[in-house]
Amino acid sequence: MNNLRKTTVKMTLAALLSMGFASGTWAADASCKGMGKQVIDSDLRFSLTHSQIPGELAISTHKMRVAGTQYKLQSTSQAKGFLALLYSGQLTQKSEGLVDSQLGLTPFYYAEQRGKKPVAESMLNAETQQVVFKRNGESAPYEKGLQDRISMIYQISARLRCNADLNIGDTLEMRVMSTGRVAKEVFVLKKLEDLTLDLGKGERRVSTLQFETKPEEAGDETVRIWYAKDLKWQPAKIEIQDADGKALTQTLISIGS
């Protein structure tokens, strides 16, 4: 982290702490209070595959660290074989912010880097209450409960640890920032499903809840996430399907703390 970013992070933290988070989409959900206590450290490894390309294409690692009221979350996908030639080896996503006692994850910084391309960053300016997208120079109003493309996965994990009493068809809505815009994501609980995972100690059957997003605009991706009850509601499988039906899937292969 360079000195400029360190200074920005300190200023943002101070401003966020002074703003408070008394309300918002997640806090308004009376069935889940004190979600911040449900944000936990985790180390997950996934095998990445594609519906149109045979074999394992990459290993993805997700690491969450919580220190007091702050968190850092990073996802790194290290490509293998043919995919490594196309993407220079690695995709990294980073999310940093606060753990609010009621709302859970409250990101103020999100970044993506694909191979050797420049880092694309989105950052909260707490003084102006704007999310600034460094890639295109645009901005959007900050909204309480806002998530990013990686924190949203673990925000739902915390929500389920807090209270998983949901029915098929129930929805979890949130606003999510990428590196260029803020959009609405609506996750619908589609079904209960048992998955067979190989976590390094032989096959294991786990019970999951499968959520699926409703695309907001034509051409948007559909995200499906399976959360495993027996694994502290960690994501067991993550699938991103494009408008043409091609899917990129991460399947859990090991779990740490």
Side-chain angles (χ1 to χ4, degrees):
M1 186 185 295
N2 58 40
N3 291 332
L4 176 60
R5 184 176 158 205
K6 285 182 179 179
T7 301
T8 304
V9 166
K10 289 179 180 178
M11 292 176 63
T12 304
L13 279 170
L16 279 170
L17 288 169
S18 67
M19 285 167 60
F21 297 94
S23 62
T25 303
W26 291 89
D29 184 353
S31 66
C32 181
K33 296 180 179 179
M35 195 154 59
K37 295 180 180 179
Q38 307 302 327
V39 179
I40 61 175
D41 288 356
S42 59
D43 291 275
L44 308 179
R45 293 177 72 246
F46 297 84
S47 173
L48 190 147
T49 57
H50 192 281
S51 60
Q52 303 296 309
I53 306 173
E56 183 180 72
L57 302 181
I59 295 294
S60 296
T61 61
H62 294 195
K63 179 176 288 188
M64 167 83 80
R65 289 293 180 268
V66 180
T69 60
Q70 300 180 39
Y71 80 89
K72 291 185 178 181
L73 171 61
Q74 179 166 313
S75 167
T76 303
S77 298
Q78 185 63 50
K80 300 167 61 176
F82 178 68
L83 194 67
L85 296 177
L86 291 178
Y87 293 103
S88 300
Q90 187 166 289
L91 164 64
T92 301
Q93 295 173 282
K94 293 182 180 179
S95 175
E96 298 179 12
L98 299 180
V99 179
D100 180 80
S101 60
Q102 296 301 316
L103 297 182
L105 292 172
T106 305
F108 61 79
Y109 174 83
Y110 175 67
E112 291 181 5
Q113 185 171 22
R114 299 174 184 273
K116 297 178 180 179
K117 294 182 178 180
V119 179
E121 298 174 303
S122 300
M123 186 178 297
L124 168 64
N125 183 326
E127 294 182 354
T128 63
Q129 297 191 32
Q130 294 281 311
V131 177
V132 180
F133 305 107
K134 300 291 186 178
R135 177 169 61 85
N136 56 20
E138 297 182 1
S139 62
Y142 175 75
E143 305 169 46
K144 291 179 181 179
L146 184 70
Q147 298 298 314
D148 58 49
R149 299 303 299 174
I150 186 71
S151 74
M152 68 179 188
I153 298 172
Y154 292 91
Q155 178 76 336
I156 296 177
S157 285
R159 167 64 176 79
L160 292 173
R161 291 185 199 108
C162 187
N163 189 333
D165 187 17
L166 298 172
N167 298 311
I168 302 301
D170 283 351
T171 61
L172 300 176
E173 298 184 16
M174 65 186 84
R175 298 287 285 174
V176 177
M177 64 176 170
S178 62
T179 59
R181 67 168 181 161
V182 172
K184 181 173 72 173
E185 292 285 7
V186 180
F187 284 88
V188 181
L189 177 55
K190 301 294 287 187
K191 59 183 176 179
L192 284 68
E193 183 176 356
D194 287 344
L195 295 182
T196 300
L197 302 175
D198 186 346
L199 302 178
K201 299 179 181 179
E203 291 187 345
R204 178 176 176 180
R205 195 80 168 166
V206 297
S207 175
T208 73
L209 297 181
Q210 188 232 299
F211 290 85
E212 179 178 307
T213 58
K214 293 180 178 179
E216 186 178 26
E217 299 178 4
D220 281 355
E221 298 171 328
T222 297
V223 179
R224 299 183 183 91
I225 310 176
W226 289 254
Y227 289 93
K229 178 181 180 180
D230 303 330
L231 301 175
K232 299 182 179 179
W233 293 115
Q234 298 282 20
K237 187 163 77 168
I238 304 166
E239 182 179 274
I240 301 175
Q241 182 177 309
D242 65 21
D244 296 325
K246 298 174 183 176
L248 194 65
T249 303
Q250 296 184 59
T251 302
L252 188 64
I253 56 174
S254 73
I255 184 168
S257 59

